Amino acid sequence: QQVSDFRSKLIASGAFANVTVEEQTPAPFGQQVNVRMTAQWKPGAQWPSVAQNPTADETGKNGNSAKNLPAGKESN
């Protein structure tokens, strides 16, 4: 479900022409999944305008973005 939600968010961002989930395989440890996705950028002129003062949810700084990342990884 999270992979599908993430793909939908990438599409909704308006920055990508195509977003494809190519592979989903369970990781050998725990409840994790390895995912391979490909995406094609839209030309910059076709991107939606960006808010001058984005909310915490829009920037991903709502405290939930790095919750499920392995140690040493950052969420951008």
Side-chain angles (χ1 to χ4, degrees):
Q1 181 66 39
Q2 289 178 340
V3 173
S4 178
D5 291 345
F6 181 61
R7 179 183 177 272
S8 296
K9 287 180 181 183
L10 291 173
I11 293 167
S13 75
F16 300 96
N18 293 323
V19 180
T20 305
V21 177
E22 293 189 359
E23 184 178 342
Q24 287 188 74
T25 38
F29 46 88
Q31 297 179 347
Q32 296 181 1
V33 176
N34 292 321
V35 177
R36 183 167 41 124
M37 299 177 85
T38 58
Q40 182 178 12
W41 290 107
K42 283 185 178 178
Q46 294 179 5
W47 286 23
S49 61
V50 177
Q52 291 295 325
N53 297 307
T55 67
D57 283 340
E58 291 170 331
T59 61
K61 298 189 185 217
N62 58 5
N64 295 326
S65 59
K67 187 186 292 184
N68 295 321
L69 294 175
K73 300 290 182 184
E74 294 182 15
S75 173
N76 291 341

